[in-house]
Amino acid sequence: MGPIGLQHYLVLGAILFVLGVIGIVSRKNAVGILISIELMLNAANINLIAFSRYSNKPIFPTTMPEAAYMDGQVFAIFVIILAACEAAVALAIILNLFNMFGTIEVDDADTMRG
Amino acid sequence: MAQNILFYLAAVMAVATTSMVVITRNAVYAVLYLIMSLFAVALVFLSLNAPFLALVEIIVYAGAIMVLFLFVVMMLNLQGQRGDEATKRPTRRQMIVPGALALLLLILIVVSLSAGTPAATNAALSDPKLLGELLFTKHYLGVKLSGIILLIGTIGGLHIGRGGSIPSTMEKPIDDVTH
């Protein structure tokens, strides 16, 4: 085992992302699809933090040179905030879907199909 | 070397639990496996010298968002009536695997937090104080936008989830005679 490099984290992120994609296309349950979206957001977070850890120079000059390498972590925080918002709104939509159709299988909610 | 072991353990656990999230058909189990997967990803963050992000991942994701998921899944009662299974005490055999996994995660987190983060190329990388300074100076616009988005999410969730505005004709699925 050599030292852990950036590519190790990128491969891990790619695996988790692909698992999320598989979950989205294979599930018919709305909650399952939402869970898979969360998986994909997590994989993106791994990539962001790995890039911030292994970047050698800051992209933008800043007044705090020692903090210039942490931009990726800040973006990861923003991603987590967005995931929280998205989960709340999507779960509200799922509750509404359940009230209207009595199920959350996305194939059964086909009222708008042409 | 410590980073190697931590990374490989966390990565294997993350891939395994995430696969279980995708494979399992039971929505409650999927959420529980996802919590495990989030803990493993938090360990990956620890191996990347980001302890603050690791703890945010555990507290916000595994603690708050996943409980919301679990609440909705259990409220919709997707698996039919399972009352007896929910109230029954788990047998000892059922406790082995989750107990062992939780113990392993706990040991890993405690060890990696107490041993200090693995050799950093830049000591400042792991300082949460610097992260906060960066967040509230350089990325202050992002903080404001996040606040607005959280407000919109709250209002939107309230409005959508309020109920009562659904026409009574829509309560049952409409039988489509054409297909």
Side-chain angles (χ1 to χ4, degrees):
Chain A
M1 288 194 293
I4 306 285
L6 175 61
Q7 65 274 13
H8 288 75
Y9 290 99
L10 295 188
V11 168
L12 176 65
I15 291 174
L16 295 188
F17 190 87
V18 169
L19 283 172
V21 173
I22 293 173
I24 285 185
V25 297
S26 71
R27 281 185 178 268
K28 294 184 162 45
N29 187 326
V31 173
I33 292 173
L34 202 54
I35 286 173
S36 305
I37 292 175
E38 300 289 335
L39 286 179
M40 290 162 68
L41 287 173
N42 246 315
N45 264 347
I46 291 179
N47 275 14
L48 283 173
I49 297 178
F51 277 125
S52 104
R53 164 81 166 75
Y54 286 99
S55 63
N56 283 323
K57 57 182 175 190
I59 301 170
F60 303 110
T62 173
T63 54
M64 295 180 297
E66 68 274 19
Y69 304 94
M70 300 174 84
D71 281 329
Q73 298 193 19
V74 174
F75 287 127
I77 291 179
F78 289 147
V79 170
I80 290 178
I81 291 171
L82 281 179
C85 263
E86 169 248 328
V89 174
L91 286 173
I93 290 174
I94 289 175
L95 281 182
N96 248 357
L97 191 73
F98 187 75
N99 281 338
M100 290 173 96
F101 293 98
T103 175
I104 58 167
E105 302 290 306
V106 289
D107 284 354
D108 294 339
D110 57 353
T111 309
M112 282 180 74
R113 196 173 64 183
Chain B
M1 198 59 210
Q3 192 199 8
N4 277 15
I5 297 171
L6 181 61
F7 171 77
Y8 281 114
L9 264 177
V12 167
M13 195 181 291
V15 172
T17 50
T18 309
S19 311
M20 286 307 296
V21 173
V22 177
I23 290 169
T24 181
R25 293 287 107 186
N26 189 327
V28 177
Y29 289 168
V31 175
L32 293 179
Y33 276 118
L34 183 53
I35 292 177
M36 275 294 191
S37 162
L38 291 174
F39 270 85
V41 172
L43 279 172
V44 172
F45 289 174
L46 268 183
S47 80
L48 274 170
N49 250 338
F52 180 72
L53 259 295
L55 294 182
V56 164
E57 177 97 354
I58 291 176
I59 293 171
V60 175
Y61 247 120
I65 302 181
M66 285 308 118
V67 169
L68 199 64
F69 270 85
L70 209 54
F71 176 70
V72 169
V73 169
M74 291 192 164
M75 193 164 85
L76 299 183
N77 198 7
L78 301 175
Q79 311 303 324
Q81 296 299 326
R82 286 264 184 117
D84 55 332
E85 197 173 309
T87 52
K88 205 168 54 183
R89 283 179 70 89
T91 64
R92 189 160 297 183
R93 203 163 56 82
Q94 286 172 317
M95 303 273 281
I96 289 176
V97 175
L101 272 175
L103 195 67
L104 180 62
L105 281 171
L106 180 69
I107 289 173
L108 275 175
I109 291 175
V110 167
V111 165
S112 53
L113 274 182
S114 61
T117 43
T121 53
N122 185 346
L125 270 171
S126 59
D127 192 355
K129 191 180 155 204
L130 274 180
L131 184 62
E133 275 181 28
L134 190 65
L135 187 62
F136 282 100
T137 53
K138 186 175 161 190
H139 298 283
Y140 188 53
L141 182 65
V143 175
K144 285 184 186 172
L145 288 175
S146 306
I148 294 174
I149 284 180
L150 281 172
L151 181 66
I152 292 173
T154 312
I155 295 173
L158 265 178
H159 178 75
I160 296 172
R162 176 180 45 150
S165 63
I166 304 160
S168 57
T169 52
M170 294 294 285
E171 275 180 3
K172 281 182 182 150
I174 297 165
D175 290 328
D176 193 356
V177 289
T178 56
H179 76 263

